[in-house]
Amino acid sequence: QKEVEQNSGPLSVPEGAIASLNCTYSDRGSQSFFWYRQYSGKSPELIMSIYSNGDKEDGRFTAQLNKASQYVSLLIRDSQPSDSATYLCAVGTSYGKLTFGQGTILTVHP
Amino acid sequence: GAGVSQTPSNKVTEKGKYVELRCDPISGHTALYWYRQSLGQGPEFLIYFQGTGAADDSGLPNDRFFAVRPEGSVSTLKIQRTERGDSAVYLCASSPGTIDTQYFGPGTRLTVL
């Protein structure tokens, strides 16, 4: 079993729809959770960070964390073509080492 | 302010050669991380520095890989006797603390012919 698993893609949604990205992790001691966006040929850039159970909203993005289920998700509302990218789920240890999922490719079509 | 910078942006070398990859973190960030990303995969942890010391080097694949951060700022990842399987994008990230957000540099694309 992989340490961090993301829902298999690619994921395609129409412009204006909600995109839902999911991630599960195996280490119950994980303390920090991140969603990064990566455009082709570029480095990862932070979208959201979440540290405690529940929802965290930032603009069109909502991150959800459920430590009991070892599950973290990202919802993108009103998806735009510019949201088309690879989304990486990353889980952090107590000292910050990140373990990444394999990424989910999202395509938002007009 | 200035972000994380990495040099060179691209490096092409021949099998068996030695390479050095440089990372200049965000000023004041004490934590520095190296990751390696192969095509179609998420970044894979290599090594973590807190200040000048390597606090965790468990991700280094073998003893051909070594990294230093002598003054607690700039870090250099060194790869000896490069192999074709070392070809990847090497990413550096820095963070103000340990569980804080990591900010990634643009990466160095290493190609071993």
Side-chain angles (χ1 to χ4, degrees):
Chain A
Q1 180 189 5
K2 293 181 181 177
E3 293 183 54
V4 179
E5 290 203 57
Q6 297 186 232
N7 52 327
S8 59
L11 178 65
S12 181
V13 301
E15 185 174 357
I18 295 175
S20 177
L21 303 163
N22 303 311
C23 174
T24 58
Y25 60 95
S26 60
D27 184 358
R28 285 195 172 273
S30 301
Q31 299 197 6
S32 53
F33 307 85
F34 304 90
W35 284 98
Y36 283 86
R37 177 175 63 195
Q38 188 172 31
Y39 293 113
S40 181
K42 302 295 184 181
S43 61
E45 62 175 320
L46 180 74
I47 297 296
M48 293 284 286
S49 62
I50 188 166
Y51 298 90
S52 55
N53 282 329
D55 295 357
K56 180 181 177 182
E57 185 174 321
D58 184 1
R60 296 185 296 111
F61 300 93
T62 299
Q64 300 173 316
L65 175 62
N66 185 326
K67 290 186 178 180
S69 299
Q70 295 173 246
Y71 173 90
V72 58
S73 68
L74 179 70
L75 297 176
I76 306 174
R77 291 181 300 281
D78 188 24
S79 296
Q80 301 297 309
S82 58
D83 294 328
S84 298
T86 297
Y87 287 80
L88 296 163
C89 171
V91 176
T93 64
S94 59
Y95 62 84
K97 166 188 169 182
L98 293 181
T99 301
F100 285 84
Q102 76 278 21
T104 299
I105 298 172
L106 171 66
T107 301
V108 181
H109 53 87
Chain B
V4 179
S5 62
Q6 292 186 246
T7 55
S9 55
N10 280 283
K11 177 69 177 178
V12 180
T13 190
E14 294 180 344
K15 181 177 178 296
K17 298 290 189 183
Y18 169 83
V19 296
E20 289 189 353
L21 311 179
R22 175 188 168 107
C23 171
D24 202 338
I26 294 172
S27 178
H29 282 193
T30 59
L32 185 146
Y33 304 81
W34 283 98
Y35 296 86
R36 177 169 73 173
Q37 187 173 24
S38 300
L39 194 64
Q41 301 296 316
E44 178 186 23
F45 170 80
L46 295 177
I47 187 169
Y48 153 61
F49 287 90
Q50 181 60 249
T52 60
D56 182 357
D57 64 358
S58 63
L60 295 178
N62 51 59
D63 60 7
R64 295 187 297 105
F65 289 74
F66 188 72
V68 295
R69 193 186 186 198
E71 298 179 354
S73 179
V74 171
S75 176
T76 304
L77 178 65
K78 308 180 180 189
I79 310 174
Q80 298 178 317
R81 305 183 303 280
T82 52
E83 299 178 356
R84 293 193 180 89
D86 298 335
S87 297
V89 175
Y90 289 81
L91 294 165
C92 175
S94 71
S95 171
T98 50
I99 67 169
D100 296 319
T101 298
Q102 294 181 25
Y103 297 90
F104 283 82
T108 294
R109 181 175 299 279
L110 175 66
T111 303
V112 182
L113 301 176

